[in-house]
Amino acid sequence: MEAIQNYSRRDFVKTIGLASGGLLLAANSSLFASESSTAIETFNPNLFVYLQTDGTLTLIASRSEMGNGVRTSLPSIIADEMEADWSKVVVQQALGDAKYGDQNTDGSRSILYLYETMRKMGATAKALLITAAAQKWSVPEAECIAQHHFIVHSSGKKLGFGELAATAKTLELPKNVTLKNPKDFNYIGKTLKSVDVANYANGSAVFGIDKRIQNMKFVAIARCPVTFGTVKSFDKKAALKIRGVIDVIEISRIAKPFGPLGGVAVIASNTWAAFEGKKALTIEWNYGSNATYSSADYQKTITDGILQPAKTAKSIGDVEQAFAKAHQIVESTIQLPLLAHAPMEVPNAVAWVKGDSCEVWAPTQDPQTARKEVADYLKIPLDKVSVNITFLGGGFGRKSKPDYIVEAVMVSKVINAPVQVVWTREDEIKHGYYHTESAQYLKAALDAQGNVTAWLHRFALPSIMSTFVPGTEYPAEWEAGSATDIPLDVPNFKVETGKAPAHVRIGWMRSVINIPHGFSVNVFANELAYAAKKDPLEFRLNLIGPDRIENTQDAIKYNTARMKHVLRQAAKNANYGKALPQGHAFGIAVQYSFYSYVASVVEVSFINNKVKVHNIYTVIDCGTVINRDTVKAQLEGAAIFGMSLTYYGKITAKDGAIEQNSFSDYPLIRMNEAPKIHVEIVESTENPTGVGEPGVPVIAPAIVNALFQLTGKKYYNLPLIDYEIVG
């Protein structure tokens, strides 16, 4: 097993603020590594178990809590292997520190990466407690078991975990431990109430925007309407007349992937004054080269590009020859817009630069990157920076980028006081990192029996890598992966990528590249089914083909049997094929992403030229489930998130400036629009895989596929509000 070690109590107390004695454990792990294979990711998560003499068990959560349930799920794995009493567990949030391994809470990776490590930590703690009890009783360890926070001897006598902590902490760690049989799990695979639900309910949970420090100032920043533009000059006289405004300063753009855009910062004694002061500023901007950017013109340019041969990303067989021999050719062009994250809690951060050190409190998905960005900006050692992770009121990938944290640090350094930078909703919509827009062209050949003999997928989209390597014009290999590595039983297959330079900051958003590719593949497969005069469900199952382990470039291979199972099960749950009311139809979609398999069947109506989603039936196979409540909640949230993108999601630019402002023109699904959502979780003993993101990509294509059946129209350029069928 991986090394698990006793950890310096002084370091531990310093790190998480605990002051009493007890048993401490830390673990080092290199996940997916073996002598004969290359690790997907190597890291050393020192996630601690702290057992006090009164039996209180403090477990450390290293990942960020943003409604994903990770502060409950990860510690519950340790508690299960320990045979701990969950009512005696206290969860403590870790600071941002490399000792915890990769703390970036995105990519649906928390359980995937840390499941085995958490189990081994719990099993090690249990083994130490059993050894301690056996020594106290002078009996063989084999006669002792752990049971609900006690070590119990075969004779019936027992000792509480707390009673054994002092002895256990003196013992040498076992070289090997035995993990529980999954059939004996107490918490894993069950439903477990969030450790934070009471604090959410009573309002005591501290989100970033709630954080307060004595003498803290509040900051609002005016940024250039055109991305990467700079300040030419500004007049602050009117702003300074507003009661509560203290000062107005310029902050420079930092030309780094997570660097602030720069602008003019208004410093005030309260948030209202800061916002009003920002409105009162008079600023002349240097717009720069992006001033000519128009999203409409740009979309036309990249669409024209993908209608011509482009750069080959993958090729199997000979698609051109197959097209020449085809019984029928089907072609479609799909256009999808830029999207904003729109978390309910806008970006915000508290920072206090104190001489050669800095402390930060922020709703961040990636505290270690934030810590490094702060240290680099201040030119101080990393250990002089502390990043405290608050609760996040949504993240969706936006809060993995710490530009807003560095902004707070910049202002704090100038005024020598703690500050809180708070973005407005307009700031978040107009100055974020956007999910990429795309143009996609698909072409397929059908034989006389309606089988697909050739598949061509050509697409262009501004790459996320353009944020890290300015000038990038083609997608990275992983961005092409959800188009190249898909389970299609097609003998002639080709994917090409077109040129698409970026004009705004492109960043990952919930489900990332699976949004455009999941949409295009699913709607095109549905269109092919109708061209072949076959039922969309059976056609898609046949298109996936025989059961097999697909040989992708990834270390984890996907299994087509599992993919077909979730599709069949979703159809079964929806009673697919049953007679529906007039004007109603089913739409289906299935996607493999983040190593999980998800299918959705939606019941949609189209009456009086208006679309309405009545039911969503989603099935997920994510391997071993930790907390069923969390998985269900994530799939329900993904359905609403996906519906919002389908109905309303669209960011546009004119003369370089983003045109949308707030929820008034970038709306989300409201309660009266929400359908009934039915979730099934496939029972599995496979390794756990992603949950937070895989439910999103199937929603839009399933809705559009239902509309295709009802209307015969291709709603292939989202959002649906542009067709005036929403509302």
Side-chain angles (χ1 to χ4, degrees), residues 430-661:
K430 289 182 173 294
H431 304 294
Y433 291 77
Y434 301 100
H435 182 276
T436 189
E437 58 191 305
S438 64
Q440 303 185 71
Y441 168 74
L442 294 101
K443 180 178 180 180
L446 296 173
D447 64 17
Q449 289 74 45
N451 300 310
V452 180
T453 58
W455 177 285
L456 171 65
H457 186 176
R458 189 184 296 136
F459 68 89
L461 48 81
S463 171
I464 289 174
M465 297 311 297
S466 64
T467 296
F468 298 89
V469 184
T472 298
E473 295 182 328
Y474 288 91
E477 184 177 349
W478 66 267
E479 289 176 299
S482 55
T484 59
D485 294 333
I486 57 175
L488 299 181
D489 186 24
V490 178
N492 303 288
F493 178 88
K494 192 173 188 179
V495 175
E496 297 177 351
T497 59
K499 183 177 178 180
H503 293 277
V504 294
R505 298 190 294 181
I506 303 296
W508 46 86
M509 190 181 82
R510 187 179 187 180
S511 199
V512 203
I513 204 66
N514 294 283
I515 292 175
H517 290 158
F519 183 78
S520 62
V521 169
N522 275 288
V523 298
F524 190 59
N526 188 76
E527 186 179 352
L528 292 177
Y530 281 90
K533 296 180 172 56
K534 295 185 177 182
D535 175 77
L537 174 60
E538 289 306 314
F539 182 87
R540 191 61 195 276
L541 291 168
N542 291 334
L543 187 59
I544 295 170
D547 294 351
R548 63 195 184 279
I549 306 297
E550 195 73 17
N551 186 26
T552 68
Q553 296 179 4
D554 210 320
I556 299 177
K557 312 302 181 185
Y558 60 73
N559 186 325
T560 59
R562 295 173 71 184
M563 191 166 189
K564 289 188 293 184
H565 175 72
V566 295
L567 185 53
R568 289 190 181 105
Q569 198 61 33
K572 178 182 177 182
N573 293 348
N575 199 5
Y576 181 87
K578 73 177 180 181
L580 292 173
Q582 183 70 26
H584 288 236
F586 284 126
I588 66 170
V590 63
Q591 183 77 0
Y592 170 78
S593 62
F594 304 94
Y595 309 120
S596 291
Y597 308 82
V598 176
S600 284
V601 174
V602 300
E603 181 189 349
V604 174
S605 68
F606 191 72
I607 299 171
N608 296 327
N609 203 44
K610 296 297 179 184
V611 61
K612 181 175 179 60
V613 178
H614 297 268
N615 288 282
I616 295 178
Y617 301 88
T618 294
V619 176
I620 184 171
D621 180 348
C622 56
T624 297
V625 172
I626 308 306
N627 189 339
R628 300 184 72 83
D629 279 349
T630 296
V631 176
K632 183 173 182 285
Q634 288 295 295
L635 270 294
E636 291 170 341
I640 298 301
F641 193 94
M643 279 187 65
S644 292
L645 303 184
T646 309
Y647 277 31
Y648 303 117
K650 186 177 185 179
I651 292 292
T652 59
K654 184 178 181 181
D655 297 328
I658 300 302
E659 296 183 286
Q660 287 69 32
N661 292 280

Side-chain angles (χ1 to χ4, degrees), residues 32-263:
F32 297 127
S34 68
E35 294 180 1
S36 59
S37 67
T38 302
I40 290 180
E41 180 151 339
T42 300
F43 62 106
N44 298 307
N46 293 330
L47 298 175
F48 303 102
V49 176
Y50 181 52
L51 176 62
Q52 295 175 266
T53 53
D54 66 355
T56 301
L57 178 63
T58 300
L59 302 176
I60 308 305
S62 65
R63 297 280 177 130
S64 302
E65 180 59 61
M66 50 187 169
N68 50 342
V70 73
R71 276 171 46 91
T72 301
S73 296
L74 283 177
S76 74
I77 300 170
I78 301 175
D80 205 325
E81 285 289 348
M82 281 187 71
E83 300 291 352
D85 179 350
W86 187 248
S87 68
K88 298 182 184 299
V89 171
V90 175
V91 175
Q92 181 83 24
Q93 185 68 48
L95 295 177
D97 197 308
K99 67 166 63 77
Y100 297 104
D102 179 3
Q103 290 178 276
N104 191 1
T105 312
D106 69 1
S108 299
R109 299 174 296 179
S110 295
I111 301 299
L112 171 69
Y113 280 12
L114 299 175
Y115 177 64
E116 286 297 322
T117 299
M118 298 297 98
R119 291 190 68 189
K120 290 173 182 177
M121 290 179 67
T124 298
K126 178 174 66 178
L128 288 171
L129 293 167
I130 286 175
T131 300
Q135 288 184 4
K136 279 182 174 287
W137 290 325
S138 299
V139 299
E141 292 180 20
E143 295 178 3
C144 304
I145 61 170
Q147 191 175 80
H148 204 59
H149 233 71
F150 288 90
I151 302 301
V152 181
H153 184 248
S154 56
S155 65
K157 58 186 176 184
K158 61 183 182 180
L159 288 168
F161 281 5
E163 298 174 85
L164 297 167
T167 301
K169 72 181 181 182
T170 67
L171 301 175
E172 184 177 343
L173 295 172
K175 294 181 179 179
N176 296 288
V177 293
T178 301
L179 301 180
K180 290 174 67 171
N181 189 316
K183 70 179 180 60
D184 297 324
F185 285 153
N186 298 315
Y187 309 127
I188 297 172
K190 311 297 192 300
T191 59
L192 198 61
K193 185 172 71 174
S194 166
V195 296
D196 300 307
V197 70
N199 291 338
Y200 291 153
N202 64 30
S204 64
V206 177
F207 292 79
I209 210 161
D210 299 323
K211 185 63 184 176
R212 295 292 183 268
I213 295 177
Q214 190 173 3
N215 298 321
M216 185 177 80
K217 312 306 178 188
F218 298 83
V219 178
I221 300 173
R223 303 169 186 83
C224 183
V226 177
T227 305
F228 308 130
T230 56
V231 177
K232 183 183 293 184
S233 64
F234 68 96
D235 185 339
K236 61 183 179 181
K237 290 192 293 293
L240 289 172
K241 291 178 181 178
I242 292 173
R243 183 177 180 181
V245 172
I246 298 168
D247 200 358
V248 179
I249 64 173
E250 181 179 348
I251 61 171
S252 300
R253 180 192 167 207
I254 299 177
K256 295 177 65 178
F258 302 130
L261 290 169

